[in-house]
Amino acid sequence: MAKKSDAQNKQADLARAVTPPGKAMTDNLGHPVSDDQNSLRAGPRGPTLLEDFLLREKIHHFDHERIPERVVHARGAAAHGYFELTSSLSKYTHAQVLNEVGVQTPVFVRFSTVAGSRGSADTARDVRGFAVRMYTQQGNWDIVGNNIPVFFIQDAIKFPDLIHSVKPEPHNEIPQAASAHDTFYDFISLTPESMHMLMWVHSDRAIPRSFDSMEGFGVHTFRLINAAGESHFVKFHWKPALGVHSLVWDEAQRIAGKDPDFHRRTMWETIEKGGTLEWELGVQVFTSEQALKWDFDVLDATKLVPEDLVPVERIGKLVLNRNTENYFAETEQVAFMTTNIVPGIDFSDDPLLQGRNFSYLDTQLSRLGSPNWPELPINRPLVQVSNNQRDGHMRHTINPGRVSYFPNTLGGGLPAEVPASRGGFVSYPEQVSGPKLRIRAESFADHYGQARLFWNSMTPIEKEHIAHSLQFELSKVETRDIRVRMLDHLENINEVLASQVALALGEPPRSKQTAEPGGAGSADSAAEAALLASATSPTTASGKLQRALALSQEEGQPKSAKGRKVAILAADGVNAAQVKAVQAALEAKGATGEVVGNHLGDLGDGVTATKTLGNTDAVLFNAVLVAGGAKSVQTLMRRGDAFAFLGEAFKHAKPIGALGEGIEVLTASEVGRLLKAGMPSATDKGTDKSGDAVGTLSQVGSAALASGPAAAQLAEQGVIVGSNGGTDAAIQKFVAALAHHRYWNRPQVAHVPV
């Protein structure tokens, strides 16, 4: 059956505001301009005249081009697409957008960091905003969420304090887009409710690889109301089609310098090339009776509902397939609001949500300068707007007639109220009562139980990365008392974690079990990971769970090479057939192979370098492969940058490939030395398929596709080599390795000098 499409398309709606360049230049009021290069002067070298209205208008507009950036979520990027419902929720809600299977509802989605300014880098360790607007037949519906399902605070009255603490310190405006400083941890160390969120922020979730490799969450508990007026609680989830994948901390920092636009560039280029970014919408639906049985409060935004208790039902897909026409007009002027809901959806009594409902409307006037901001093209709904609101700064709508009030008879009683029976919005009639108090509910009081649940649910490498992140950030805190207070909180989560962080800070460990910390930057330590693997804590406020599904991003994720980018190292004289074969194999799986050469342009036989060893970096790619060709390899062997590419990729656990003579570049690198040291030696009687002792990677390469122990050992570490008749099969193995994303089992990673 053909898919139904929404008759009111947002792209067509926005097209009404698109003005292509005209043939004749005019000023803003349509006057033809004869000279846009020179001001009006009294003589060739005389003063500029005050009557130059063209100069005045041009400078006037330029002086006022900027609007205040968002206080939070200032750094953002967005794209258009659609949401298509695949499974109806009519049992729970009468919202059309969640009832009509097959309808493609236009969407606009903005991703952002929280703390940094508009000019900060994409890859800062931070919460990511994940704001989705659906232009539905019942008005705009915004799910204004994050890539983390919980938040730092329980009550909105603390939000200004949180943001003031994490922003650059006011006396010197340092640091930008970073939480590794005293004021943030001073606040956090005095706010125990933040501990669960803090574990997420120090996990790899806070440094996603790309926008479409991170989850999205509505954070709060909302209500679904069905046609019978019955209410169910709901949590909204966006599950990425490619799975959840992240950067490593060293990689994230290096990318910030190499390409601060890394995330927005990746999304833009993917869509420009005809690709898409995709998620599934999932819901956790449960009753208030279920919620009351749990040992945590679903109105507490610092808590999640584990998927073990309420599985996520996947009901639709989100596809982003069109870039913006103008960043300012769309991405910067879009005004999301938590109060943008449609009939059939309502709020819960979550105090953080209640405060956001006030704040989001309030902030639009400050940023956009007029109560008429909903008339901006990116904000206006597809349905007709009709009410008695009038006038105001920069009003666009021309409302005819003499009536601007209700009730009325002079206007025929229009616009008229819409009763609930015909789809008018009605709030759920929840029974509420109680004394007016400034108080926190006792059910909000457990601040460590779900932090322990999150910690227990991590794999060893994820635990190690959390420890390293805490080591790094707390080492930047200059006030010892704050560092010690944070260690006290970490001890309440897990004493071994606290001990590993304490050792890096020069403080006494909190546990008898310790290992030498791997380092707060990039080095993983097998001993530290092994210690942390067995370090678990008893949980509370977790529905009696000690470990929960879907919290680790190393387990149960899709294995796909789609969307990944490979650096193919090459120089003049490269084996063109190999390069083309690699690119074709990658393209067949939705990945890209970009040639990184010793110079831009033609490298021979139709191979074109679009990047150079000097203008790009391994951190900008998901994997590195060295192509063969004797002349090409001779050039690469003289370039330290080629070895640096391999070193960075190896240290960051990415797949590495080498074909034909390209194996010699890998062998000559520091990575090759470490790999050879780990191979079976002649004295160990380790042999390849031919029976010869394995002493070089070239020898391993000739047997890479055989069943020898050396070949298998390399492949287990995500290093794929192939020569002679094994090249084609090696290419296929390399593409398969790319789908695994990371290989954390590499030996002596700390020895790689990157």
Side-chain angles (χ1 to χ4, degrees):
M1 184 179 69
K3 295 178 181 177
K4 294 161 60 181
S5 61
D6 194 321
Q8 294 175 298
N9 188 285
K10 189 60 184 177
Q11 184 172 1
D13 176 64
L14 289 173
R16 294 190 290 135
V18 176
T19 305
K23 294 182 178 179
M25 181 181 290
T26 72
D27 67 6
N28 286 333
L29 293 174
H31 307 124
V33 175
S34 63
D35 187 343
D36 188 49
Q37 303 299 309
N38 301 288
S39 302
L40 186 65
R41 301 182 179 89
R45 300 182 67 249
T48 301
L49 300 179
L50 186 61
E51 70 179 70
D52 190 350
F53 66 95
L54 296 176
L55 168 67
R56 177 75 176 94
E57 181 197 78
K58 191 174 182 180
I59 295 297
H60 160 76
H61 194 280
F62 174 77
D63 288 344
H64 299 277
E65 280 180 359
R66 295 293 174 262
I67 62 175
E69 67 177 34
R70 291 167 170 84
V71 176
V72 289
H73 298 278
R75 173 76 175 180
H80 295 273
Y82 65 87
F83 169 74
E84 181 178 335
L85 190 70
T86 56
S87 179
S88 175
L89 281 185
S90 59
K91 178 180 178 181
Y92 302 114
T93 178
H94 60 88
Q96 289 182 26
V97 68
L98 297 179
N99 278 206
E100 298 177 343
V101 173
V103 170
Q104 293 186 348
T105 301
V107 300
F108 188 65
V109 181
R110 185 178 187 269
F111 307 99
S112 57
T113 52
V114 171
S117 69
R118 274 191 62 187
S120 58
D122 281 353
T123 58
R125 178 176 293 279
D126 200 353
V127 187
R128 294 307 193 281
F130 195 123
V132 179
R133 167 165 296 166
M134 299 191 196
Y135 299 94
T136 85
Q137 298 277 359
Q138 295 178 299
N140 291 351
W141 176 30
D142 294 350
I143 303 178
V144 195
N146 290 327
N147 72 324
I148 292 175
V150 294
F151 203 61
F152 287 104
I153 53 174
Q154 297 171 327
D155 193 305
I157 201 169
K158 297 302 296 175
F159 191 71
D161 301 307
L162 168 68
I163 299 306
H164 287 169
S165 75
V166 77
K167 283 288 189 178
E169 299 194 7
H171 66 302
N172 61 8
E173 192 64 9
I174 297 173
Q176 177 59 245
S179 56
H181 57 103
D182 287 44
T183 59
F184 178 68
Y185 284 100
D186 185 32
F187 174 80
I188 292 295
S189 67
L190 299 171
T191 312
E193 67 201 63
S194 299
M195 291 306 128
H196 185 198
M197 177 68 161
L198 195 70
M199 296 301 289
W200 283 81
V201 168
H202 284 292
S203 77
D204 292 340
R205 298 274 186 155
I207 43 175
R209 178 70 195 178
S210 60
F211 291 144
D212 61 344
S213 63
M214 67 183 190
E215 281 186 273
F217 302 91
V219 179
H220 307 286
T221 299
F222 289 85
R223 288 185 186 273
L224 296 178
I225 315 297
N226 64 17
E230 298 167 330
S231 168
H232 289 78
F233 285 135
V234 64
K235 292 272 194 179
F236 295 110
H237 298 248
W238 297 107
K239 298 286 190 179
L242 298 181
V244 185
H245 301 289
S246 294
L247 303 169
V248 295
W249 183 222
D250 175 67
E251 186 182 24
Q253 294 177 86
R254 294 175 67 84
I255 290 174
K258 297 291 184 178
D259 184 4
D261 303 307
F262 179 70
H263 285 151
R264 61 170 64 186
R265 188 189 307 279
T266 299
M267 179 170 70
W268 180 274
E269 291 181 349
T270 297
I271 294 175
E272 284 295 286
K273 293 176 182 177
T276 58
L277 288 73
E278 299 183 14
W279 295 259
E280 288 183 286
L281 175 61
V283 292
Q284 289 177 293
V285 181
F286 51 95
T287 65
S288 58
E289 289 76 20
Q290 284 177 282
L292 289 173
K293 294 178 182 178
W294 296 327
D295 57 351
F296 57 92
D297 197 325
V298 298
L299 301 183
D300 178 356
T302 68
K303 306 294 190 296
L304 54 78
V305 177
E307 294 187 26
D308 309 63
L309 301 182
V310 182
V312 172
E313 179 185 356
R314 304 191 185 204
I315 62 167
K317 65 178 181 179
L318 171 68
V319 177
L320 300 184
N321 57 11
R322 184 168 63 87
N323 284 319
T324 56
E325 298 284 350
N326 182 279
Y327 181 91
F328 178 84
E330 297 167 84
T331 306
E332 191 62 18
Q333 289 195 134
V334 67
F336 293 97
M337 298 202 304
T338 54
T339 49
N340 276 350
I341 56 176
V342 294
I345 301 173
D346 205 352
F347 311 115
S348 71
D349 293 335
D350 175 346
L352 183 62
L353 174 59
Q354 296 285 323
R356 291 181 76 194
N357 287 347
F358 173 85
S359 178
Y360 278 64
L361 176 61
D362 190 56
T363 195
Q364 308 309 339
L365 182 62
S366 174
R367 289 197 62 248
L368 300 175
S370 165
N372 291 310
W373 61 264
E375 295 190 358
L376 292 169
I378 196 62
N379 291 321
R380 67 188 178 210
L382 286 174
V383 296
Q384 180 181 358
V385 173
S386 185
N387 55 48
N388 293 301
Q389 296 173 23
R390 296 290 187 272
D391 307 339
H393 182 61
M394 300 304 293
R395 179 75 169 181
H396 291 183
T397 301
I398 299 173
N399 300 102
R402 62 194 295 194
V403 171
S404 57
Y405 53 88
F406 184 85
N408 68 74
T409 58
L410 296 178
L414 300 177
E417 296 171 332
V418 181
S421 61
R422 290 178 30 224
F425 184 88
V426 177
S427 296
Y428 178 68
E430 181 186 12
Q431 187 71 36
V432 294
S433 64
K436 292 188 289 186
L437 299 169
R438 291 189 181 274
I439 194 171
R440 199 74 60 92
E442 291 184 10
S443 55
F444 282 35
D446 190 322
H447 302 318
Y448 299 101
Q450 287 207 1
R452 298 183 192 119
L453 178 70
F454 182 80
W455 171 257
N456 290 352
S457 303
M458 297 295 100
T459 60
I461 192 67
E462 290 174 299
K463 287 182 175 181
E464 187 178 21
H465 288 173
I466 290 172
H468 288 180
S469 176
L470 286 161
Q471 291 163 7
F472 176 87
E473 294 231 340
L474 293 179
S475 72
K476 297 285 189 177
V477 174
E478 298 175 356
T479 306
R480 180 174 180 266
D481 286 349
I482 296 174
R483 298 197 299 266
V484 172
R485 287 204 302 267
M486 286 304 307
L487 290 174
D488 292 340
H489 287 301
L490 295 178
E491 187 175 7
N492 280 328
I493 297 171
N494 184 270
E495 63 177 12
V496 178
L497 167 63
S499 294
Q500 291 305 110
V501 177
L503 289 174
L505 300 179
E507 298 289 345
R510 308 298 179 95
S511 167
K512 294 180 181 179
Q513 295 178 299
T514 61
E516 182 179 354
S522 62
D524 292 324
S525 160
E528 187 176 34
L531 173 65
L532 294 173
S534 60
T536 59
S537 300
T539 65
T540 52
S542 300
K544 300 182 180 179
L545 298 170
Q546 296 303 311
R547 194 173 189 274
L549 297 172
L551 299 185
S552 168
Q553 64 177 52
E554 289 295 320
E555 297 178 337
Q557 297 297 330
K559 301 294 185 182
S560 172
K562 182 181 178 183
R564 304 214 171 141
K565 185 184 292 187
V566 176
I568 302 174
L569 305 190
D572 294 296
V574 69
N575 186 321
Q578 286 181 5
V579 172
K580 293 173 183 177
V582 171
Q583 290 178 319
L586 291 170
E587 186 176 345
K589 296 295 184 179
T592 303
E594 189 161 8
V595 178
V596 179
N598 57 321
H599 60 75
L600 289 177
D602 182 36
L603 299 181
D605 295 328
V607 173
T608 301
T610 53
K611 294 285 192 299
T612 72
L613 292 167
N615 78 356
T616 191
D617 194 278
V619 294
L620 304 178
F621 297 88
N622 299 99
V624 175
L625 181 140
V626 186
K631 182 180 178 183
S632 172
V633 165
Q634 289 173 7
T635 300
L636 293 177
M637 293 280 276
R638 297 193 297 268
R639 296 294 299 269
D641 289 342
F643 296 135
F645 261 79
L646 294 169
E648 285 184 8
F650 186 79
K651 190 157 193 169
H652 296 149
K654 298 175 181 178
I656 293 174
L659 303 177
E661 296 93 338
I663 298 171
E664 300 302 329
V665 180
L666 179 57
T667 300
S669 70
E670 180 67 12
V671 172
R673 186 188 68 79
L674 292 173
L675 289 173
K676 284 192 294 181
M679 291 294 106
S681 67
T683 57
D684 295 329
K685 298 182 180 180
T687 59
D688 67 9
K689 188 178 180 181
S690 64
D692 297 326
V694 176
T696 71
L697 290 181
S698 297
Q699 290 173 319
V700 174
S702 66
L705 303 173
S707 57
Q713 188 171 336
L714 276 181
E716 286 174 1
Q717 296 175 24
V719 179
I720 308 298
V721 292
S723 61
N724 303 325
T727 300
D728 291 341
I731 291 172
Q732 296 304 317
K733 280 206 166 188
F734 177 77
V735 175
L738 185 63
H740 284 268
H741 191 60
R742 304 279 185 181
Y743 289 82
W744 301 116
N745 59 335
R746 290 173 176 168
Q748 299 178 300
V749 171
H751 294 199
V752 179
V754 176

